Amino acid sequence: MMMYWFTLALPFYASTQASPGSYLEEHFKVPFQELKTSELSGGLSASSNYKVELQGKQYVLRIFPQEESPETRKREVEASLYAARLGIAPKIYYVAPRFEAVLMDFVAGTTLTKKEVEADDQLSKLLQTIRVLHDSTGDYPKGVTLFEKVEKELSALLNSDVPLPEVQVRQSIQYLEAIKSAFSGVDLVPCHNDLNALNILVSEGQFKLIDWTDAGLGTFYQDLGYFSLVNRIKDLNKLLKLYLQREPTADEVEKLNLMRQASKLRLFATLFASVEPSLSNPEEREKRKAEIVGVLQKKEELNLDQYFEMHQKGELNQQVTIFSMALTALRSFLSEKKEW
């Protein structure tokens, strides 16, 4: 099948997104009724995913959110194509105009489980798959680093009418700056930036990475720090040893630990902004701020690992649960600070 690729530099516009059937008919040149389709669920992505079958061959149609700019969608498509060429992501057959959707191979298998994470041979194989991306050279979308992403999101929150624990957020920004200084001079490499279990597929002993929404350049610690956090990996020395294929230095282990901590603040910034609405009334906003600070100061009912387990099972879909997870991430980040 021919792969369509568009390289136009497009301005921001109001999308006139088509239906799944329109994209599929455009590519396959057959009536939609001849295709077997079913919607796929799971994860926190705003994109819509459909399993498609024609003549015994299975595909996934991924339709990006209408509110995303063409530049954002273009970055994900470019990263997906880049990774597919490396053999670590599903092959892409079709890219819709204005990067509204992509059609890719359906990978028959399962998402990453505790079994693969706890087996050294499987974990090593997965880490070497990730390293294929990190060691690659080519035209990869720049995106933003973890530090740039968190700083931008927290700054936007502080300058908005969203009620938030302002003192703790400003304190966390100072701590993040201290962490950031430890990575001065570390090379930037192509990163996936969202290596949670639902974005790692296991099929016939091989690993494929999906959902390249947050792709961009960063240090390899950026991917590994987030990966270790959301997949509940505590032994960072072993993780680095399997990744580097040698004994890591104390400095390397410390850098990974710092990035793991920074990833907690990333979770707070992203999740909190997604569930806490703005309040234009100053009195209502101050009242809500006090409520949030009160929740933040309480002993957590669930720890982060329990929330990650819920996410892996597809159970992290209630706003109140996501709100609690966001505050737990901030609480954990602040409680584990030290003199960096």
Side-chain angles (χ1 to χ4, degrees):
M1 296 181 183
M2 181 177 291
M3 181 173 68
Y4 293 79
W5 177 231
F6 300 84
T7 56
L8 297 175
L10 297 170
F12 183 82
Y13 76 111
S15 173
T16 54
Q17 207 166 32
S19 66
S22 298
Y23 295 124
L24 295 172
E25 288 179 345
E26 165 70 21
H27 174 67
F28 289 112
K29 310 300 182 187
V30 299
F32 180 62
Q33 291 75 10
E34 294 185 19
L35 301 165
K36 291 176 61 178
T37 62
S38 58
E39 188 165 6
L40 299 172
S41 60
L44 295 176
S45 173
S47 296
S48 300
N49 299 291
Y50 300 86
K51 183 179 178 181
V52 182
E53 186 172 347
L54 178 66
Q55 298 177 350
K57 171 72 174 173
Q58 295 178 324
Y59 309 85
V60 171
L61 176 69
R62 181 172 174 84
I63 303 177
F64 302 116
Q66 281 188 303
E67 61 271 18
E68 281 189 351
S69 70
E71 290 78 12
T72 299
R73 298 195 295 261
K74 182 174 183 282
R75 183 180 69 240
E76 178 171 349
V77 170
E78 287 181 338
S80 300
L81 285 164
Y82 183 99
R85 289 193 292 269
L86 293 176
I88 61 172
K91 180 180 179 180
I92 292 180
Y93 296 97
Y94 165 76
V95 179
R98 298 177 295 274
F99 308 99
E100 292 178 354
V102 293
L103 184 74
M104 68 189 84
D105 268 333
F106 175 81
V107 178
T110 62
T111 53
L112 186 70
T113 66
K114 191 176 181 181
K115 176 183 176 182
E116 286 87 24
V117 171
E118 292 182 343
D120 285 2
D121 59 335
Q122 290 298 301
L123 180 57
S124 177
K125 191 171 185 178
L126 170 56
L127 290 170
Q128 293 312 303
T129 299
I130 296 169
R131 190 166 179 179
V132 168
L133 175 66
H134 294 167
D135 289 347
S136 68
T137 57
D139 190 13
Y140 194 74
K142 182 180 179 181
V144 294
T145 66
L146 177 144
F147 299 112
E148 292 168 337
K149 176 181 175 65
V150 175
E151 288 166 356
K152 180 179 179 180
E153 290 179 342
L154 292 182
S155 177
L157 281 171
L158 287 168
N159 290 292
S160 72
D161 287 335
V162 174
L164 74 160
E166 187 173 334
V167 172
Q168 290 85 351
V169 168
R170 292 190 184 280
Q171 190 178 39
S172 70
I173 292 174
Q174 293 178 350
Y175 298 154
L176 186 69
E177 280 297 314
I179 293 176
K180 181 180 176 180
S181 66
F183 295 89
S184 176
V186 180
D187 291 340
L188 301 183
V189 299
C191 288
H192 180 281
N193 289 329
D194 191 11
L195 292 172
N196 71 74
L198 299 184
N199 289 338
I200 301 172
L201 302 180
V202 187
S203 178
E204 298 180 348
Q206 302 297 315
F207 296 95
K208 298 288 185 182
L209 310 181
I210 61 172
D211 194 347
W212 295 79
T213 306
D214 294 316
L217 299 179
T219 69
F220 77 86
Y221 295 104
Q222 186 168 300
D223 260 346
L224 295 191
Y226 188 77
F227 172 77
S228 68
L229 177 66
V230 299
N231 291 293
R232 296 162 282 164
I233 298 173
K234 310 298 184 185
D235 191 340
L236 302 186
N237 188 84
K238 184 177 80 170
L239 179 67
L240 271 175
K241 182 178 180 179
L242 294 175
Y243 174 83
L244 297 171
Q245 297 291 289
R246 61 168 172 79
E247 286 291 340
T249 66
D251 180 65
E252 288 169 334
V253 175
E254 178 62 12
K255 278 185 168 61
L256 180 55
N257 182 55
L258 289 175
M259 194 63 82
R260 177 188 172 92
Q261 299 307 320
S263 296
K264 296 177 181 179
L265 190 57
R266 169 193 167 179
L267 282 175
F268 166 75
T270 301
L271 296 178
F272 191 84
S274 71
V275 295
E276 186 64 29
S278 299
L279 288 176
S280 58
N281 184 294
E283 291 184 4
E284 292 180 359
R285 188 164 61 249
E286 289 303 314
K287 181 180 178 181
R288 177 58 177 161
K289 280 184 182 180
E291 292 174 352
I292 293 171
V293 171
V295 174
L296 185 61
Q297 292 174 343
K298 287 182 180 179
K299 184 178 180 181
E300 60 196 26
E301 295 181 7
L302 298 175
N303 60 40
L304 273 180
D305 282 353
Q306 290 170 303
Y307 284 112
F308 294 140
E309 186 175 357
M310 291 173 65
H311 176 254
Q312 191 169 349
K313 293 178 179 178
E315 298 173 353
L316 193 66
N317 50 20
Q318 299 293 325
Q319 281 201 337
V320 63
T321 307
I322 296 173
F323 170 83
S324 298
M325 181 180 180
L327 290 188
T328 299
L330 178 60
R331 186 188 300 113
S332 181
F333 175 75
L334 292 172
S335 67
E336 295 190 26
K337 71 177 179 65
K338 61 180 182 177
E339 295 301 323
W340 290 308

